[in-house]
Amino acid sequence: MTKQKRSLLWFRKGLRLHDNPALLSSCDGAKYLYPIFVLDPWFLTADRVGPNRIQFLLESLEDLKHSLQARGSDLVVLKGKPLEVLPTIWKTWGITHLYFEKDTEPYANERDGQVRQAAAKANIEVETPVSHTLYDLEMLIEKNGGAPPDSMKAFESLLGKVGLPAAPAEDPPEKLTAPGPELKKTTGVYDSLPSLKDLGYKDEATSSIHGGETNALSRMSEWMADKQRVAEFEKPKGNPAAFDPPATTVLSPFLKFGCLSARLFHAKIAQIEKEKNNHTKPPVSLRGQLLWREFFYTVGGATKNFDKMEGNPICRQIDWDQNDEFFKAWEESRTGYPWIDAIMMQLNKEGWMHHLARHAVACFLTRGDLYQHWEKGRDTFDRLLIDGDWHVNNGNWMWLSASAFFHQFFRVYSPVSFGKKYDKNGDFIRHFLPVLKDFPAAHIYEPWKASEKAQKEANCIIGKDYPKPIVDHNEASSSCKDRMKAAYDAGKETRKREGAPSPQARKAPKIYG
DNA sequence: GAAAAGTTGGTTCA
DNA sequence: TGAACCAACTTTTC
């Protein structure tokens, strides 16, 4: 007689019921279903993940729990290293099958490999469907001849061969497989979800963006109700200074945690594109934004040392400075450039900025002004962004620092003109840097140029109440450009000497489990 | 091998 | 507001 099927459904990302193939398979023919989330202490330190993202996660878990309960199921949350927690509970619950969504981040991949091994030893069947990305990345790499595409153009032509992404999975049944009776009686499970404080966080969350599948779906519907806006979406034309409301969808945090399925979002956009004769196209269109995410996932998953400069075959080797004063000033909104400092305040408070605002501060920290290493800025974003995503974040930092993908290092954003172009009056600065709010529009982007009298009238003395600029942008950017050119030239010499990395050398490291 | 393109530059001048 | 110019990278297209 065969054993009764008892499914363990391990949520990590993919915090949703819609388009969730792992959920469907786990219910299929099962006697009991045990849905869990494991709070891994590796993530739960303020220097690795800030309170805004953890709060967003907790809200997403709360929402998921309610949705599961509404369908006769439940969710329990445990704390500990997955490799220790999982074997304990699958023994206690007599688990026969384990389901979780595939995750290609290095930490997750390593962790999941070990979990698979432990599961195999315990005779547990494991199934890990792809539902975080539009495509199975392994398949994309294979179709591309074993190496990742190195530009968006190449990626688009690869997608041309592969076709459209699969449709989202069907919705789960109204009545899910019931949880086993011992689900909540197990040692170590949280009766109700822990708070930030319970998890050891001293600071409160300050973001106005709140997590969960319910919020994700309503935000998406609301945004897409205006079909014309979807059809005309053109990323480079967005306004980085708009914050109430922002110029983009702000769905990225929901995609990061899988509260929203990329495949569902893609299908909804494609539907509108079908209805409209005129619509923008990738890479600038709204659908194109999902393709950028997919591009960075594909390249990031198949490039050695993707999150480092050294030993990274696609990353230019650049002689970045190490100046902790500069870096701290950037991180703590003390550069003396209001446009830059206001964006960094938004990052700290909201855990989200417009894409172009990210460009402005990333360029300023690296090739534009301060010549600090992109890895340091990457770490700050990774800690503070609610949507902080390993693949996308690393990819974009290499892009902005002209280390990979983008090479026109002589195009530098001005920390004064760029913001002014969109927000002449400086409302964005006034909101996020209230110390400057009384400066007239003529001085708000360059308050150090205001006379002593004007500074007094604005109740803000530059050098005392708000810092003077830490560098002269014209001097700094011109020196940065010279150094970038020298670094590029040196790299060219090296490549000539050693030859470009062969496709073989660029072959994907085994990180797809 | 030359020309054009590359999701999102800045400044100046009419 | 838009065109010309700045200085000049790599990849793609022809």
Side-chain angles (χ1 to χ4, degrees), chain A residues 403-442:
Chain A
S403 296
F405 310 115
F406 172 87
H407 312 280
Q408 290 154 286
F409 57 76
F410 42 87
R411 287 190 177 177
V412 172
Y413 292 91
S414 160
V416 173
S417 318
F418 187 66
K420 209 186 266 179
K421 193 164 67 180
Y422 301 95
D423 177 15
K424 219 160 178 228
N425 191 45
D427 293 334
F428 180 82
I429 294 170
R430 289 173 213 281
H431 183 265
F432 285 104
L433 286 177
V435 65
L436 298 172
K437 72 176 171 23
D438 293 330
F439 272 105

Side-chain angles (χ1 to χ4, degrees), chain A residues 88-280:
Chain A
T88 312
I89 55 165
W90 66 48
K91 205 167 164 192
T92 313
W93 295 339
I95 296 300
T96 61
H97 293 69
L98 169 64
Y99 299 88
F100 56 86
E101 178 186 66
K102 188 169 269 193
D103 186 337
T104 55
E105 266 183 51
Y107 176 81
N109 191 59
E110 167 100 31
R111 173 198 65 197
D112 294 349
Q114 291 171 347
V115 167
R116 279 163 191 279
Q117 277 186 358
K121 255 194 214 160
N123 278 323
I124 291 169
E125 243 180 78
V126 183
E127 197 181 309
T128 63
V130 172
S131 48
H132 188 64
T133 45
L134 295 173
Y135 296 90
D136 180 341
L137 303 178
E138 213 172 350
M139 176 275 287
L140 288 183
I141 294 293
E142 203 184 303
K143 293 252 176 185
N144 202 50
D150 44 21
S151 70
M152 188 57 172
K153 266 266 170 323
F155 186 61
E156 282 187 71
S157 87
L158 169 63
L159 293 191
K161 279 187 262 174
V162 169
L164 287 172
E170 62 193 83
D171 281 333
E174 285 303 315
K175 195 87 190 140
L176 296 169
T177 303
E182 65 281 67
L183 180 72
K184 288 194 160 180
K185 294 178 197 147
T186 308
T187 326
V189 308
Y190 281 98
D191 271 347
S192 58
L193 276 168
S195 66
L196 270 180
K197 219 177 181 178
D198 296 335
L199 296 175
Y201 276 80
K202 288 192 194 82
D203 294 328
E204 299 281 324
T206 50
S207 179
S208 58
I209 304 164
H210 297 289
E213 180 183 16
T214 307
N215 287 341
L217 293 174
S218 63
R219 187 181 275 269
M220 179 178 70
S221 306
E222 215 171 285
W223 218 86
M224 301 194 76
D226 186 346
K227 295 185 178 179
Q228 202 56 32
R229 176 168 60 172
V230 172
E232 287 170 358
F233 184 95
E234 206 173 339
K235 187 59 158 291
K237 291 192 177 161
N239 176 0
F243 61 95
D244 190 24
T248 48
T249 64
V250 196
L251 286 169
S252 53
F254 300 95
L255 289 165
K256 185 246 146 63
F257 281 104
C259 301
L260 175 64
S261 147
R263 292 192 297 214
L264 178 67
F265 190 22
H266 185 277
K268 296 269 183 198
I269 302 169
Q271 182 56 42
I272 291 179
E273 289 185 348
K274 228 171 158 183
E275 293 168 24
K276 300 274 175 188
N277 289 331
N278 271 324
H279 62 78
T280 52

Side-chain angles (χ1 to χ4, degrees), chain A residues 463-511:
Chain A
K464 181 172 152 259
D465 303 313
Y466 179 76
K468 291 178 182 165
I470 49 170
V471 291
D472 177 290
H473 171 66
N474 288 334
E475 284 174 22
S477 63
S478 134
S479 146
C480 283
K481 278 184 245 183
D482 290 346
R483 294 181 66 179
M484 288 296 291
K485 173 148 183 58
Y488 264 51
D489 286 346
K492 244 186 284 184
E493 284 304 308
T494 310
R495 280 199 299 283
K496 209 190 282 173
R497 213 169 41 240
E498 297 172 2
S502 65
Q504 194 57 36
R506 291 197 51 204
K507 274 223 162 149
K510 257 276 171 228
I511 75 154

Side-chain angles (χ1 to χ4, degrees), chain A residues 40-100:
Chain A
D40 182 343
W42 192 81
F43 291 104
L44 298 174
T45 58
D47 59 347
R48 187 166 282 134
V49 184
N52 280 328
R53 184 147 90 239
I54 298 297
Q55 178 66 29
F56 188 96
L57 167 66
L58 293 173
E59 289 160 358
S60 301
L61 291 173
E62 186 76 45
D63 185 60
L64 180 65
K65 187 184 168 92
H66 286 146
S67 305
L68 286 165
Q69 284 174 340
R71 292 179 192 241
S73 180
D74 209 336
L75 177 74
V76 298
V77 172
L78 301 107
K79 193 177 167 186
K81 291 182 192 159
L83 198 60
E84 290 166 12
V85 171
L86 292 171
T88 312
I89 55 165
W90 66 48
K91 205 167 164 192
T92 313
W93 295 339
I95 296 300
T96 61
H97 293 69
L98 169 64
Y99 299 88
F100 56 86

